[in-house]
């Protein structure tokens, strides 16, 4: 049995070195949910790059390989990389993937074009005018073969066209991945999520006490108390805090750039007012209440209840009369021309109310 080495770094993810075809390791690695990568030339654990090592899976794999007679070493480097470096690598990998998919789509398109040419040639070889098969005639066998060849060529052309369309669709979708990841609303959501995660980690670091339930009859409070993290666990929490803070700083920088470029708008309670119209899920809705992190609107599906829209989800703003409102340097700037469509929608909402 050969010696195997399981390595984990945030730059490369979790890989295993030393395996060879037919040595019996493939069956074990498949059972342990590893995958083979032709590009890497190695088995790897999916979704392990730039993440904490999946120790349970790694240890289980090492134990299974050792039980089969392999010598296994484990080398783990669990230090996080700067978020800017992580994102730059993601963008580079995505660009390489787009290039590869584009090349594949072009190859598939060329194959489809050749297949259609073969279909046209096979069809041209058939007797003109849709002449029927002359049963018993010396041409019967040749005629039947020509029809079969034409039919098979048509099937191959259709299949090649479908494969080309699928490849082009994958290439087009991949080309939009980075753009979608950096969409202003996605960036705003990510910052909110990371900020909440940072608060959770800080509570775990410092410890906390919270009331879970109060007995309505006795007034007794059921309290949960968590002590501050200690030892190795505290070291891990501190590392997660530093990493999360670095992520927040990076994405806040992206958000600031989007605001400066005008691709995102900083809506907040300071620039919105009750009665305004906010664009959300494709329609304008009347603002009923302005909150710290959101606005309250009427139900988007109808009914007497209300919905809350986070400021980051607002896609457009108009005043109560339907005039477009721009946010410039944190101030409202109202345009003079009203929106007929918005005015109609606003009137409809007012009439319904």
């Amino acid at each position: 049995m050969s010696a195997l080495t399981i390595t984990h770094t945030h730059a490369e993810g979790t890989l295993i070195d030393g395996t060879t075809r037919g040595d019996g390791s493939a069956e074990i690695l498949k059972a342990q949910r590893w995958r083979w990568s032709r590009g890497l030339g190695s088995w790897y654990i999916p979704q392990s790059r730039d993440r904490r090592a999946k120790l349970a899976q790694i240890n289980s794999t090492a134990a299974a390989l050792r039980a089969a007679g392999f010598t296994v070493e484990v080398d783990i480097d669990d230090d996080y990389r700067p978020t800017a470096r992580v994102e730059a690598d993601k963008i580079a990998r995505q660009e390489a993937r787009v290039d590869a998919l584009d090349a594949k789509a072009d190859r598939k398109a060329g194959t489809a074009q050749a297949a259609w040419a073969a279909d046209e040639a096979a069809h041209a070889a058939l007797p003109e005018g849709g002449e029927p098969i002359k049963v018993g005639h010396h041409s019967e066998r040749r005629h039947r073969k020509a029809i079969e060849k034409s039919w098979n060529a048509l099937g191959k052309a259709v299949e090649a066209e479908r494969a080309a369309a699928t490849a082009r669709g994958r290439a087009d979708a991949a080309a939009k991945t980075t753009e979608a990841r950096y969409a202003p609303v996605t960036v705003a959501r990510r910052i909110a999520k990371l900020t909440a995660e940072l608060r959770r980690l800080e509570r775990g670091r410092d410890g906390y006490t919270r009331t879970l339930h109060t007995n309505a009859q006795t007034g007794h409070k059921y309290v949960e108390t968590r002590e501050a993290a200690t030892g190795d666990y505290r070291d891990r929490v501190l590392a997660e805090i530093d990493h999360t803070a670095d992520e927040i700083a990076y994405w806040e920088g992206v958000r600031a750039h989007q605001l400066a470029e005008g691709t995102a708008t900083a809506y907040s309670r300071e620039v919105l007012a009750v009665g305004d119209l906010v664009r959300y899920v494709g329609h304008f809705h009347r603002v009923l209440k302005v909150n710290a992190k959101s606005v309250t609107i009427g139900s988007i599906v109808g009914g007497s209840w209300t919905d809350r829209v986070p400021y980051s989800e607002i896609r457009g703003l108009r005043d109560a009369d339907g005039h477009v409102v721009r946010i410039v340097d944190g101030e409202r700037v109202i345009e003079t021309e009203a929106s007929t469509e918005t005015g109609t929608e606003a009137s409809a909402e007012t009439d319904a109310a």
Side-chain angles (χ1 to χ4, degrees), residues 321-341:
D321 297 323
H323 297 93
V324 175
V325 178
R326 307 291 183 189
I327 307 302
V328 180
D329 296 330
E331 301 292 336
R332 293 166 64 103
V333 177
I334 300 176
E335 296 187 358
T336 57
E337 294 184 2
S339 168
T340 304
E341 176 186 356

Side-chain angles (χ1 to χ4, degrees), residues 258-273 276-278 311 314-319 323-335:
Q258 292 174 340
L259 292 172
E261 292 292 316
T263 57
T265 304
Y267 294 114
S268 66
R269 68 187 311 172
E270 285 74 27
V271 296
L272 271 80
D276 283 346
L277 298 165
V278 293
Y311 290 117
I314 297 175
R315 300 300 182 90
L317 175 64
R318 299 183 185 274
D319 67 8
H323 297 93
V324 175
V325 178
R326 307 291 183 189
I327 307 302
V328 180
D329 296 330
E331 301 292 336
R332 293 166 64 103
V333 177
I334 300 176
E335 296 187 358

